[in-house]
Amino acid sequence: MQQSDHSENNGNDSVTRALTVNEARNAILKSVECTCATESVELINATGRVAAKDIQATTAIPPFTNSAMDGYAIRSQDIRSNHPFKVIGKSLAGHPYEGTINPGEAVRITTGAALPKGADAIVIQELVTVDGDTITTNAKVSAGQYIRKPGDDIQPETTLCAAKTKLGAAHIGLLAAQGISRLEVFAAPTVGVFSTGDELLNPPAKLAHGQIFDSNRATIRSALKNAGIESVDLGICADDEESIQSIMNSARQFDFLLSSGGVSVGEADYVKSALETNGALQFWKVAMKPGKPLVSGKLSGDTHFFGLPGNPVSSLVTCVQFVIPAIRAFCGIDYTAPPVLRARCLDRLKKEPGRFEFQRGIMSTSQDGELVVSTSGLQDSHVLSSMSAANCFICLDQFADGASIDETVKVLLFSALDGL
Ligand code: AMP
Ligand code: MG
């Protein structure tokens, strides 16, 4: 989403100052190049993948003139009220009538069946009275009625999908209709995910006082999976710089390495310094809430690194706002800002000026058809339950001081965001 309150200048101060959300995303996208190898996959397995080359049609679709309805193929100039037509045969889908229709003749026809020679229109079966092998109709029938012409969907040599198109069901269908069974797509990126924190455990361990189960790894990997991105689980790393560095060193085979936790300015926050030792820091502060500390950079070699914040909502929001767009850009998909809706806010929303806020909300349509939004609960960065209850972000600009009841606010539906 575009914010009105910042410049797009991302100068050398990006390492010290907090970037705006757009500055941070633009800086990340600029640093990601689509260097994916390509691979040939079976058509159905290309779903959600990105076409590596333009794909042209070789066949017109439909390939032959055919009926759009179940009925009778006739010559439109023969139509007169209650004039009888002699039914001389049938043309079924896959079983064309090979003869020619002469004056006063009709051929029974089904949807998708080839139009017999001589016919130029279909009279639909609901408007016909059948008496043995004779039909009559009062219907008005004009030439071309209910006829599908060759190529009215796809002409040969048109581009079915351009390189860098993310392939959805309709693209797969267009390719299948051409008889294409394999195609070249960009290879899937490799992504490793680990958590940092001495307090974190994996089940079935029993929690001692002061310990929690690691939820960020599952949340982040789930968001990636939801966006069609597979990842490798690299486990939990202790809060010490050497252990973090050793994961960074052994993860150079990944295109992306993601961590969570250890990025604020606490005593045990070593991710930023580990990255500075093992690569280059791009920035580490974004003026947003949740998610202010976000370490972005590159490990020496070609691995992109993101140190996401530890708080569960912050790690999910930053993953969706920055990491998924970056991985998609790496796979050749250009970033497009999701549509921003406007809704009437039913609650008073609290906010301090200074950071752009993604507040968790529930949007619905009122009985009058108006879009309305309410808060989904506590907005603290550790409160994942209000994220799971939400269906949208209420976007509050950096210098806004909240929103009042009935104010129109900007809303991003989760369904428009990859990963959620
Ligand atoms: P940190 O940024 O490491 O100081 O973590 C901030 C907060 O997020 C702390 O309350 C951590 O316990 C919590 N946290 C960090 N990593 C995780 C994780 N993987 N799962 C759940 N909570 C976490
Ligand atoms: Mg920590």
Side-chain angles (χ1 to χ4, degrees):
M1 95 170 330
Q2 291 302 312
Q3 289 169 255
S4 49
D5 47 35
H6 65 81
S7 77
E8 292 295 325
N9 150 36
N10 177 25
N12 292 338
D13 60 346
S14 60
V15 169
T16 48
R17 123 186 121 82
L19 306 189
T20 66
V21 173
N22 287 332
E23 284 176 321
R25 195 187 300 101
N26 289 343
I28 290 168
L29 294 173
K30 226 173 174 178
S31 70
V32 173
E33 261 180 84
C34 170
T35 50
C36 279
T38 68
E39 60 182 349
S40 161
V41 292
E42 224 182 282
L43 180 65
I44 190 68
N45 295 332
T47 310
R49 305 287 298 271
V50 184
K53 295 178 182 154
D54 290 354
I55 305 173
Q56 315 288 0
T58 51
T59 309
I61 303 292
F64 52 87
T65 307
N66 70 91
S67 175
M69 299 293 272
D70 291 338
Y72 293 85
I74 57 159
R75 296 158 22 109
S76 58
Q77 73 260 44
D78 294 349
I79 277 284
R80 254 160 272 140
S81 186
N82 287 326
H83 178 77
F85 287 85
K86 183 162 192 263
V87 180
I88 56 165
K90 52 189 174 184
S91 182
L92 307 181
H95 303 279
Y97 179 79
E98 300 294 3
T100 300
I101 292 187
N102 292 307
E105 291 178 345
V107 161
R108 173 88 180 108
I109 195 162
T110 57
T111 306
L115 188 73
K117 283 190 236 52
D120 68 350
I122 306 297
V123 53
I124 61 173
Q125 64 188 24
E126 291 84 347
L127 300 180
V128 160
T129 308
V130 183
D131 180 10
D133 65 354
T134 300
I135 58 163
T136 50
T137 183
N138 288 325
K140 282 199 173 141
V141 178
S142 49
Q145 186 166 297
Y146 299 125
I147 302 284
R148 299 164 174 171
K149 297 225 175 67
D152 67 9
D153 182 0
I154 295 287
Q155 292 280 348
E157 286 167 39
T158 52
T159 302
L160 296 166
C161 56
K164 300 193 172 183
T165 302
K166 186 183 172 219
L167 300 162
H171 300 110
I172 298 293
L174 278 183
L175 301 175
Q178 294 287 320
I180 292 171
S181 59
R182 293 193 76 82
L183 70 152
E184 284 289 303
V185 295
F186 286 121
T190 53
V191 183
V193 182
F194 70 102
S195 298
T196 68
D198 287 346
E199 75 280 34
L200 303 177
L201 288 184
N202 285 322
K206 279 235 172 324
L207 299 181
H209 183 58
Q211 295 181 318
I212 56 171
F213 286 120
D214 175 359
S215 63
N216 288 354
R217 229 173 345 131
T219 312
I220 293 164
R221 296 189 65 219
S222 170
L224 296 174
K225 200 175 177 72
N226 224 348
I229 302 160
E230 291 303 323
S231 62
V232 176
D233 184 354
L234 300 177
I236 296 169
C237 179
D239 274 324
D240 74 79
E241 191 163 339
E242 260 173 49
S243 307
I244 296 170
Q245 286 198 18
S246 126
I247 291 206
M248 287 179 171
N249 274 320
S250 61
R252 300 263 158 91
Q253 78 273 22
F254 290 109
D255 299 315
F256 288 84
L257 180 65
L258 316 177
S259 69
S260 70
V263 289
S264 19
V265 285
E267 237 168 73
D269 292 330
Y270 299 115
V271 171
K272 177 170 159 269
S273 48
L275 173 64
E276 283 168 322
T277 310
N278 278 278
L281 175 71
Q282 187 184 27
F283 63 80
W284 67 289
K285 276 186 284 184
V286 186
M288 68 185 272
K289 192 179 169 188
K292 181 177 175 192
L294 165 71
V295 167
S296 171
K298 232 172 171 188
L299 300 175
S300 27
D302 270 334
T303 303
H304 295 274
F305 178 79
F306 292 103
L308 305 183
N311 273 308
V313 181
S314 310
S315 65
L316 179 53
V317 174
T318 48
C319 179
V320 168
Q321 289 295 330
F322 305 109
V323 178
I324 290 175
I327 298 177
R328 292 184 156 265
F330 181 81
C331 303
I333 305 175
D334 292 335
Y335 176 74
T336 44
V340 179
L341 306 178
R342 299 277 195 284
R344 182 163 63 84
C345 192
L346 301 177
D347 296 310
R348 156 106 183 93
L349 305 179
K350 284 195 250 163
K351 177 188 181 291
E352 301 275 316
R355 289 195 266 165
F356 188 95
E357 286 198 15
F358 292 96
Q359 295 209 1
R360 290 141 256 170
I362 300 172
M363 187 158 99
S364 60
T365 309
S366 74
Q367 282 192 332
D368 307 337
E370 185 192 19
L371 293 180
V372 291
V373 67
S374 53
T375 182
S376 67
L378 282 181
Q379 294 295 319
D380 307 66
S381 304
H382 67 288
V383 179
L384 198 52
S385 57
S386 60
M387 185 73 195
S388 74
N391 65 5
C392 67
F393 288 125
I394 304 168
C395 300
L396 300 175
D397 282 339
Q398 187 169 6
F399 297 107
D401 62 353
S404 40
I405 293 177
D406 288 340
E407 190 172 324
T408 300
V409 288
K410 290 186 258 180
V411 173
L412 277 182
L413 271 180
F414 287 175
S415 55
L417 294 168
D418 281 323
L420 291 180

